Amino acid sequence: MIPKTFGKILCGLIRQKLNFLEECNQELLENVDFPGSDITSLYSPDVEHCRQLCTQHPSCLFFTFVRPDWTVDNRHFFCYLKSTPSGQPDVRTPLVGVTSGFSLKPCTLDSMPCLFKVYQNVDFLGADYRALFTADYEECQRVCTHEPGCQFFTFINENFNQASIRNKCHLKFSWTVPRSPDVERKTGVVSGFSHQLDITTQFFESACQTKLFPNTDIPGHDFQNLKAASPEHCLALCSSHPLCTYFSFISNDFTCFLKNNMNQMVTKVSEGVTSGIPARYCQLDVQSWAAVTYDGVDFSGSDIRDEMMDDADTCQRTCTADPKCLFYTYVNDKFISAEYRRRCYLKRIITIPAPPKITKLNNAVSGFSQRSCLSMSYILSTV
């Protein structure tokens, strides 16, 4: 039996934590560090992008960003994502060259924020899929904006010390299609996606005529493999990646093999494998995989929160109604462990453009595709 006084204190602490987590705190604390409590570190060109990474990460509650004017070592552009059980930083210390802040999860979210800034003398290193020569960085950014696979770019200007690569525009890719880090068969669970996924930043008049080859493998030429919920989901992943020329999906372990070979496509009969060709410059049917319920399939990890619910349909509707939720897993009465039954796990991953590494580089200019900004302008013009 819990004493009444202790119970009141405990309830007060829980309410205090919930109020903190639900409060929209947009304050940025310059030259303040939140030491420790790191979940992971990523790269960001500025503190606003770092805050967006924290907001989209499933468990990040606050962050510390190492600015370009940091002088202690070479950790410029590091974005440290952090969390504590209390929801608040354990310690705040003064530290020149960093800026700290909080996740915007409690705020009204823009699923695809407009990243309009460009960054002088900054290189978004890696993730290249194509390069070309352009007159200036503005043209490089226009090319990136109009290519569906481009998420960000780096342009080498005319003052770069190596003359042979001046005016070179590097187009770069990062994932925007929701996907679970791990997918596995498991009795007593049901998984699926939000029915309001906002992943289309360009609109085409014609619908895609997709091509799938059941019980067919296309061996070799893999450049990346990741988990997918179905052949249709694997098709969407391949279609979004500019280097993917075809794919093979292994149904028994949900592995989606993305492949690149512009010269030939050799198939062979293979039971339990579905292969296909990506769709380009057409309107892909997102609902062919996002509106499907995956019975006996677990999307493990990436939890935002969990709630008790009566059935999988309620879990799906809850995920769809929450702009932070991208996918979910519901544990039903058939699950082996009774304590997890009737629990709905709401999940998400980072989908904003995220360079794999950022460094200082004289006479380089980097920035992001403006498709989200153009889409936002179009929406505002029609209101």
Side-chain angles (χ1 to χ4, degrees):
M1 191 88 172
I2 299 176
K4 288 184 178 180
T5 304
F6 179 78
K8 288 180 180 179
I9 294 172
L10 182 62
C11 290
L13 289 172
I14 293 172
R15 281 197 298 271
Q16 184 180 20
K17 178 182 177 182
L18 289 174
N19 288 337
F20 175 81
L21 293 175
E22 292 171 1
E23 179 186 351
C24 178
N25 187 348
Q26 301 187 51
E27 183 182 14
L28 292 173
L29 304 172
E30 192 168 325
N31 298 323
V32 173
D33 182 26
F34 296 162
S37 307
D38 296 359
I39 305 168
T40 188
S41 64
L42 302 171
Y43 284 92
S44 286
D46 60 27
V47 68
E48 288 84 5
H49 184 268
C50 181
R51 179 160 62 180
Q52 289 291 343
L53 290 178
C54 180
T55 299
Q56 291 200 353
H57 190 281
S59 54
C60 181
L61 297 177
F62 46 91
F63 64 89
T64 292
F65 173 70
V66 183
R67 302 193 307 262
D69 61 321
W70 169 262
T71 59
V72 176
D73 51 35
N74 62 357
R75 286 181 296 160
H76 310 107
F77 307 110
F78 272 52
C79 174
Y80 291 95
L81 307 185
K82 301 167 179 281
S83 180
T84 57
S86 69
Q88 302 182 54
D90 292 330
V91 183
R92 304 184 186 203
T93 60
L95 186 63
V96 175
V98 305
T99 300
S100 297
F102 298 88
S103 164
L104 299 181
K105 289 182 179 70
C107 311
T108 301
L109 294 178
D110 183 358
S111 60
M112 294 297 289
C114 172
L115 304 174
F116 61 89
K117 291 183 181 179
V118 293
Y119 304 91
Q120 300 287 338
N121 301 314
V122 171
D123 181 17
F124 289 175
L125 194 62
D128 298 43
Y129 72 87
R130 186 163 84 90
L132 66 158
F133 291 94
T134 59
D136 49 36
Y137 79 82
E138 289 94 341
E139 184 179 350
C140 183
Q141 187 172 50
R142 282 195 298 273
V143 174
C144 182
T145 298
H146 290 287
E147 285 209 9
C150 185
Q151 307 302 329
F152 46 94
F153 69 91
T154 291
F155 174 76
I156 306 300
N157 70 27
E158 63 275 7
N159 297 317
F160 195 71
N161 56 4
Q162 186 179 340
S164 61
I165 60 171
R166 291 171 185 168
N167 294 96
K168 198 169 186 179
C169 169
H170 298 266
L171 305 180
K172 299 162 182 281
F173 170 82
S174 69
W175 288 108
T176 59
V177 177
R179 68 223 173 275
S180 175
D182 196 14
V183 183
E184 59 181 342
R185 297 197 187 278
K186 190 174 291 185
T187 302
V189 299
V190 178
S191 296
F193 295 89
S194 166
H195 290 189
Q196 295 292 330
L197 293 178
D198 182 16
I199 63 174
T200 305
T201 53
Q202 281 188 312
F203 297 91
F204 301 95
E205 292 182 2
S206 58
C208 296
Q209 303 299 314
T210 56
K211 189 71 173 177
L212 293 176
F213 309 110
N215 295 316
T216 302
D217 186 21
I218 308 175
H221 310 292
D222 306 347
F223 70 89
Q224 187 172 358
N225 67 80
L226 59 166
K227 296 295 183 177
S230 66
E232 292 78 12
H233 188 208
C234 187
L235 168 66
L237 293 170
C238 180
S239 298
S240 72
H241 200 300
L243 292 180
C244 188
T245 54
Y246 42 83
F247 68 90
S248 291
F249 174 76
I250 315 298
S251 60
N252 66 355
D253 65 0
F254 301 98
T255 304
C256 174
F257 290 91
L258 305 184
K259 301 163 180 284
N260 178 267
N261 186 340
M262 300 294 293
N263 300 314
Q264 61 179 359
M265 184 177 71
V266 179
T267 64
K268 74 170 188 177
V269 175
S270 183
E271 187 175 351
V273 181
T274 301
S275 296
I277 301 170
R280 305 288 192 202
Y281 297 100
C282 56
Q283 203 65 33
L284 196 63
D285 182 13
V286 175
Q287 298 306 310
S288 67
W289 53 272
V292 176
T293 299
Y294 300 93
D295 194 10
V297 176
D298 182 22
F299 293 170
S300 59
S302 303
D303 299 355
I304 306 170
R305 68 179 189 277
D306 60 89
E307 301 177 16
M308 295 296 293
M309 293 184 188
D310 289 336
D311 51 56
D313 288 341
T314 304
C315 184
Q316 181 274 311
R317 289 193 297 270
T318 302
C319 179
T320 297
D322 186 344
K324 295 185 288 294
C325 182
L326 297 180
F327 47 97
Y328 67 90
T329 291
Y330 178 76
V331 182
N332 62 33
D333 290 334
K334 296 178 183 178
F335 195 69
I336 188 170
S337 299
E339 65 266 30
Y340 295 106
R341 292 173 187 166
R342 298 191 178 186
R343 194 165 288 279
C344 172
Y345 293 87
L346 305 180
K347 303 163 180 281
R348 78 156 298 127
I349 58 168
I350 293 170
T351 56
I352 64 166
K357 189 172 183 178
I358 301 177
T359 62
K360 293 182 177 182
L361 182 63
N362 289 335
N363 298 308
V365 183
S366 296
F368 296 93
S369 164
Q370 299 298 285
R371 282 190 300 277
S372 295
C373 308
L374 295 175
S375 299
M376 192 180 300
S377 299
Y378 173 78
I379 292 169
L380 292 173
S381 68
T382 59
V383 174

